């Protein structure tokens, strides 16, 4: 009889400790949620910022606005990718009481990115060019809270990981990136279930990432230029399970990308891109192989397309087409 009150007291204290964790993630998830989804499409708002000087500048302005959208979505996706922490869907948890696990990882990312080629001084239809930016990410995860066990095989409920990473974005000189760019990211992962013999792992996460100075110029006097700082707010939900030697996971998420900076076209320069924002749904899957404390992971995913222009566009660039992406990673868990 004397043990019951103490056990109940620990449960109440645990619930009180877990409540701030849950409230914290809900707040960050609200930040990660999409904004500006009503009213005028963001890409049309960019076109409205251009000077009205006839059909040729109007065509060039559309090219420039779609380029800003493509760069914002492309650099934003590159900064966050699919899974927030490679190697599994479970939170890290603790090795011993108040002894958190730490994960260190290196991830090599790649994706496709399409941008419109300028229509030129004649005002003809714009073309479309595809290229492949890459990212080399190094990061860490910390098991900040071990969560609660509701039953012998049901654990990790409301467990919490803290995540941080830095990334070197390798941007091609053609069609027009004069330099590469750095990005950094931070976030949290909340455990719903930790993987056990009978149950899969389920977790949700929220991350914030920023790419500094993603400069772009097509390369001639009639072309398009942009100088953007891109931020990403991402939300992910993943489920995974180890099957013999290989672990599998699948997930879905929402990304909201925003840009601040300037853009120009055909001699018109320094048009404001501040406050531009666009969002899309992301799907991904991952397979991982564990050897002692090392995990090797292969990921593939698909990001839905972005908004088309509301007005007619004379060009082959299709912003509504989706984007394929993938990653190879190595993780060490201590």
């Amino acid at each position: 009889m004397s043990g019951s009150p103490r056990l109940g007291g620990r449960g109440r204290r645990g619930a009180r400790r877990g409540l701030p964790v849950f409230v914290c993630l809900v707040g960050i998830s609200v930040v990660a949620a999409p904004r500006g989804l009503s009213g005028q499409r963001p890409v049309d708002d960019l076109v409205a910022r251009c000077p009205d000087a006839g059909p040729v500048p109007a065509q060039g302005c559309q090219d420039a606005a779609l380029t800003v959208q493509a760069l914002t979505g492309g650099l934003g996706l590159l900064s966050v990718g699919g899974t927030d922490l490679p190697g599994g869907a479970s939170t890290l948890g603790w090795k011993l009481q108040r002894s958190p696990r730490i994960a260190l990882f290196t991830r090599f990312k790649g994706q496709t990115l399409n941008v419109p080629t300028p229509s030129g001084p004649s005002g003809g239809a714009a073309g479309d060019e595809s290229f492949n930016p890459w990212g080399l990410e190094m990061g860490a995860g910390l098991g900040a809270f071990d969560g609660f066990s509701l039953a012998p095989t049901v654990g990790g409920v409301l467990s919490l990981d803290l995540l941080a990473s830095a990334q070197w974005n390798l941007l091609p000189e053609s069609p027009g990136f004069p330099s590469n760019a750095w990005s950094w990211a931070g976030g949290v992962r909340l455990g719903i279930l930790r993987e056990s013999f009978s149950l899969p792992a389920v977790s949700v996460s929220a991350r914030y990432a920023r790419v500094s100075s993603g400069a772009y110029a097509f390369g001639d006097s009639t072309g398009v230029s942009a100088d953007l700082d891109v931020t990403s707010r991402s939300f992910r939900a993943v489920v995974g399970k180890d099957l013999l030697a290989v672990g599998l996971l699948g997930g879905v998420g929402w990304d909201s990308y925003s840009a601040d900076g300037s853009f120009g076209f055909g001699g018109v320069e320094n048009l404001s891109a501040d406050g531009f924002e666009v969002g899309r749904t992301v799907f991904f899957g991952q397979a991982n192989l564990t050897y002692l404390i090392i995990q090797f992971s292969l990921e593939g995913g698909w990001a839905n397309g972005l908004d088309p222009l509301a007005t007619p566009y004379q060009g082959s660039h299709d912003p509504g087409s989706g984007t394929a992406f993938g990653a190879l990673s190595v993780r060490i868990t201590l």
Side-chain angles (χ1 to χ4, degrees), residues 114-150:
N114 295 329
V115 296
T117 58
S119 54
S122 64
D128 185 77
E129 184 157 351
S130 178
F131 56 94
N132 301 105
W134 305 91
L136 181 61
E137 181 183 20
M138 300 187 71
L142 174 70
F145 182 59
D146 199 39
F148 304 101
S149 293
L150 305 183

Short mmCIF file of all heavy atoms in Angstrom, two decimals, residues 114-150:
data_model
loop_
_atom_site.label_atom_id
_atom_site.label_comp_id
_atom_site.label_asym_id
_atom_site.label_seq_id
_atom_site.Cartn_x
_atom_site.Cartn_y
_atom_site.Cartn_z
N ASN A 114 13.99 22.98 -61.68
CA ASN A 114 13.71 23.57 -62.98
C ASN A 114 13.47 25.06 -62.84
O ASN A 114 12.73 25.49 -61.95
CB ASN A 114 12.47 22.91 -63.61
CG ASN A 114 12.70 21.45 -63.93
OD1 ASN A 114 13.81 21.03 -64.22
ND2 ASN A 114 11.64 20.67 -63.86
N VAL A 115 14.07 25.85 -63.73
CA VAL A 115 13.86 27.29 -63.77
C VAL A 115 13.56 27.70 -65.21
O VAL A 115 14.03 27.07 -66.15
CB VAL A 115 15.08 28.07 -63.25
CG1 VAL A 115 15.34 27.78 -61.78
CG2 VAL A 115 16.32 27.76 -64.08
N PRO A 116 12.77 28.77 -65.40
CA PRO A 116 12.53 29.25 -66.77
C PRO A 116 13.74 29.97 -67.33
O PRO A 116 14.42 30.72 -66.62
CB PRO A 116 11.35 30.20 -66.60
CG PRO A 116 11.41 30.65 -65.19
CD PRO A 116 12.00 29.52 -64.41
N THR A 117 14.05 29.74 -68.59
CA THR A 117 15.06 30.53 -69.27
C THR A 117 14.41 31.83 -69.74
O THR A 117 13.22 31.86 -70.05
CB THR A 117 15.64 29.77 -70.46
OG1 THR A 117 14.57 29.43 -71.36
CG2 THR A 117 16.34 28.50 -70.00
N PRO A 118 15.14 32.94 -69.76
CA PRO A 118 14.54 34.22 -70.13
C PRO A 118 13.97 34.21 -71.54
O PRO A 118 14.49 33.55 -72.44
CB PRO A 118 15.71 35.20 -70.01
CG PRO A 118 16.68 34.53 -69.11
CD PRO A 118 16.55 33.07 -69.38
N SER A 119 12.90 34.97 -71.72
CA SER A 119 12.25 35.04 -73.02
C SER A 119 13.02 35.91 -74.01
O SER A 119 12.81 35.79 -75.21
CB SER A 119 10.83 35.58 -72.86
OG SER A 119 10.84 36.82 -72.17
N GLY A 120 13.90 36.78 -73.52
CA GLY A 120 14.73 37.59 -74.40
C GLY A 120 14.03 38.86 -74.87
O GLY A 120 12.86 39.09 -74.59
N PRO A 121 14.76 39.71 -75.59
CA PRO A 121 14.21 41.01 -75.98
C PRO A 121 13.05 40.92 -76.95
O PRO A 121 12.26 41.85 -77.07
CB PRO A 121 15.42 41.71 -76.61
CG PRO A 121 16.32 40.61 -77.06
CD PRO A 121 16.15 39.52 -76.05
N SER A 122 12.93 39.83 -77.70
CA SER A 122 11.84 39.71 -78.66
C SER A 122 10.51 39.38 -78.01
O SER A 122 9.46 39.46 -78.64
CB SER A 122 12.17 38.64 -79.70
OG SER A 122 12.28 37.36 -79.07
N GLY A 123 10.57 38.97 -76.74
CA GLY A 123 9.33 38.64 -76.05
C GLY A 123 8.77 37.29 -76.41
O GLY A 123 7.60 37.03 -76.17
N GLY A 124 9.56 36.40 -77.00
CA GLY A 124 9.07 35.08 -77.36
C GLY A 124 8.88 34.20 -76.13
O GLY A 124 9.11 34.60 -75.00
N ALA A 125 8.43 32.98 -76.38
CA ALA A 125 8.16 32.06 -75.29
C ALA A 125 9.45 31.68 -74.57
O ALA A 125 10.48 31.42 -75.18
CB ALA A 125 7.48 30.80 -75.83
N ALA A 126 9.39 31.65 -73.24
CA ALA A 126 10.53 31.26 -72.43
C ALA A 126 10.69 29.74 -72.45
O ALA A 126 9.71 29.00 -72.56
CB ALA A 126 10.37 31.76 -71.01
N GLY A 127 11.92 29.31 -72.32
CA GLY A 127 12.18 27.88 -72.23
C GLY A 127 12.24 27.42 -70.79
O GLY A 127 11.75 28.07 -69.88
N ASP A 128 12.85 26.26 -70.60
CA ASP A 128 12.94 25.67 -69.27
C ASP A 128 14.29 24.97 -69.16
O ASP A 128 14.74 24.31 -70.11
CB ASP A 128 11.80 24.67 -69.06
CG ASP A 128 11.77 24.11 -67.65
OD1 ASP A 128 11.31 24.83 -66.75
OD2 ASP A 128 12.20 22.96 -67.45
N GLU A 129 14.94 25.13 -68.03
CA GLU A 129 16.24 24.48 -67.82
C GLU A 129 16.23 23.74 -66.50
O GLU A 129 15.72 24.24 -65.49
CB GLU A 129 17.37 25.52 -67.84
CG GLU A 129 18.74 24.88 -67.72
CD GLU A 129 19.85 25.76 -68.26
OE1 GLU A 129 19.54 26.78 -68.89
OE2 GLU A 129 21.03 25.41 -68.05
N SER A 130 16.77 22.53 -66.51
CA SER A 130 16.81 21.69 -65.32
C SER A 130 18.25 21.48 -64.90
O SER A 130 19.14 21.29 -65.74
CB SER A 130 16.14 20.34 -65.61
OG SER A 130 16.22 19.48 -64.50
N PHE A 131 18.48 21.51 -63.60
CA PHE A 131 19.81 21.20 -63.07
C PHE A 131 19.66 20.55 -61.70
O PHE A 131 18.54 20.37 -61.20
CB PHE A 131 20.69 22.45 -62.99
CG PHE A 131 20.11 23.59 -62.21
CD1 PHE A 131 20.41 23.75 -60.87
CD2 PHE A 131 19.27 24.51 -62.81
CE1 PHE A 131 19.88 24.80 -60.14
CE2 PHE A 131 18.73 25.56 -62.09
CZ PHE A 131 19.04 25.71 -60.75
N ASN A 132 20.77 20.15 -61.12
CA ASN A 132 20.76 19.34 -59.89
C ASN A 132 21.63 19.97 -58.82
O ASN A 132 22.85 19.77 -58.83
CB ASN A 132 21.22 17.92 -60.18
CG ASN A 132 20.37 17.21 -61.21
OD1 ASN A 132 20.77 17.04 -62.36
ND2 ASN A 132 19.18 16.80 -60.81
N PRO A 133 21.05 20.70 -57.88
CA PRO A 133 21.83 21.17 -56.74
C PRO A 133 22.07 20.02 -55.75
O PRO A 133 21.29 19.07 -55.68
CB PRO A 133 20.95 22.26 -56.13
CG PRO A 133 19.56 21.84 -56.50
CD PRO A 133 19.66 21.16 -57.84
N TRP A 134 23.14 20.15 -54.98
CA TRP A 134 23.50 19.12 -54.00
C TRP A 134 23.73 19.78 -52.64
O TRP A 134 24.01 20.97 -52.56
CB TRP A 134 24.78 18.38 -54.42
CG TRP A 134 24.70 17.78 -55.79
CD1 TRP A 134 25.08 18.36 -56.96
CD2 TRP A 134 24.19 16.49 -56.13
NE1 TRP A 134 24.85 17.52 -58.03
CE2 TRP A 134 24.30 16.36 -57.55
CE3 TRP A 134 23.66 15.43 -55.40
CZ2 TRP A 134 23.89 15.21 -58.21
CZ3 TRP A 134 23.26 14.29 -56.07
CH2 TRP A 134 23.38 14.19 -57.46
N GLY A 135 23.61 19.00 -51.60
CA GLY A 135 23.87 19.50 -50.25
C GLY A 135 24.65 18.49 -49.45
O GLY A 135 24.37 17.29 -49.51
N LEU A 136 25.64 18.97 -48.71
CA LEU A 136 26.41 18.12 -47.78
C LEU A 136 26.12 18.61 -46.37
O LEU A 136 26.53 19.71 -45.99
CB LEU A 136 27.90 18.20 -48.10
CG LEU A 136 28.82 17.34 -47.22
CD1 LEU A 136 28.46 15.86 -47.35
CD2 LEU A 136 30.28 17.58 -47.57
N GLU A 137 25.38 17.80 -45.62
CA GLU A 137 24.90 18.20 -44.30
C GLU A 137 25.60 17.43 -43.21
O GLU A 137 25.82 16.22 -43.31
CB GLU A 137 23.38 17.95 -44.22
CG GLU A 137 22.76 18.36 -42.90
CD GLU A 137 21.27 18.02 -42.83
OE1 GLU A 137 20.83 17.16 -43.63
OE2 GLU A 137 20.56 18.59 -41.99
N MET A 138 25.95 18.11 -42.13
CA MET A 138 26.49 17.49 -40.93
C MET A 138 25.66 17.97 -39.75
O MET A 138 25.40 19.17 -39.61
CB MET A 138 27.96 17.85 -40.74
CG MET A 138 28.85 17.42 -41.89
SD MET A 138 30.60 17.67 -41.57
CE MET A 138 30.90 16.40 -40.35
N GLY A 139 25.20 17.01 -38.93
CA GLY A 139 24.30 17.40 -37.86
C GLY A 139 24.36 16.47 -36.67
O GLY A 139 25.11 15.48 -36.65
N ALA A 140 23.54 16.78 -35.68
CA ALA A 140 23.51 16.02 -34.44
C ALA A 140 22.09 16.02 -33.88
O ALA A 140 21.31 16.95 -34.12
CB ALA A 140 24.48 16.59 -33.43
N GLY A 141 21.79 14.98 -33.13
CA GLY A 141 20.54 14.89 -32.40
C GLY A 141 20.83 14.52 -30.96
O GLY A 141 21.76 13.77 -30.66
N LEU A 142 20.03 15.05 -30.04
CA LEU A 142 20.20 14.80 -28.61
C LEU A 142 18.87 14.33 -28.03
O LEU A 142 17.84 14.99 -28.23
CB LEU A 142 20.65 16.07 -27.90
CG LEU A 142 20.73 16.01 -26.37
CD1 LEU A 142 21.88 15.11 -25.93
CD2 LEU A 142 20.88 17.41 -25.78
N GLY A 143 18.89 13.20 -27.32
CA GLY A 143 17.69 12.71 -26.66
C GLY A 143 17.42 13.50 -25.40
O GLY A 143 17.93 13.17 -24.32
N ALA A 144 16.61 14.56 -25.50
CA ALA A 144 16.41 15.47 -24.38
C ALA A 144 15.46 14.92 -23.32
O ALA A 144 15.58 15.25 -22.14
CB ALA A 144 15.88 16.81 -24.90
N PHE A 145 14.49 14.10 -23.74
CA PHE A 145 13.50 13.57 -22.80
C PHE A 145 13.13 12.17 -23.24
O PHE A 145 12.86 11.93 -24.41
CB PHE A 145 12.27 14.49 -22.76
CG PHE A 145 11.20 14.06 -21.79
CD1 PHE A 145 11.47 13.94 -20.45
CD2 PHE A 145 9.92 13.76 -22.25
CE1 PHE A 145 10.48 13.55 -19.56
CE2 PHE A 145 8.92 13.37 -21.38
CZ PHE A 145 9.21 13.26 -20.02
N ASP A 146 13.11 11.23 -22.28
CA ASP A 146 12.92 9.82 -22.61
C ASP A 146 11.46 9.44 -22.79
O ASP A 146 11.16 8.37 -23.32
CB ASP A 146 13.54 8.94 -21.53
CG ASP A 146 13.79 7.53 -22.01
OD1 ASP A 146 14.19 7.37 -23.17
OD2 ASP A 146 13.55 6.58 -21.23
N GLY A 147 10.54 10.28 -22.38
CA GLY A 147 9.13 9.99 -22.55
C GLY A 147 8.57 9.07 -21.48
O GLY A 147 9.21 8.78 -20.46
N PHE A 148 7.37 8.59 -21.70
CA PHE A 148 6.65 7.77 -20.74
C PHE A 148 6.41 6.37 -21.30
O PHE A 148 6.28 6.19 -22.52
CB PHE A 148 5.29 8.41 -20.41
CG PHE A 148 5.39 9.81 -19.92
CD1 PHE A 148 5.12 10.87 -20.78
CD2 PHE A 148 5.78 10.10 -18.61
CE1 PHE A 148 5.21 12.17 -20.34
CE2 PHE A 148 5.88 11.40 -18.17
CZ PHE A 148 5.60 12.44 -19.03
N SER A 149 6.35 5.39 -20.43
CA SER A 149 6.02 4.02 -20.79
C SER A 149 4.62 3.70 -20.30
O SER A 149 4.36 3.71 -19.09
CB SER A 149 7.02 3.03 -20.18
OG SER A 149 8.30 3.19 -20.76
N LEU A 150 3.71 3.43 -21.22
CA LEU A 150 2.34 3.12 -20.86
C LEU A 150 2.14 1.63 -20.61
O LEU A 150 1.16 1.23 -19.98
CB LEU A 150 1.39 3.59 -21.97
CG LEU A 150 1.50 5.08 -22.36
CD1 LEU A 150 0.45 5.42 -23.41
CD2 LEU A 150 1.35 5.97 -21.13
#
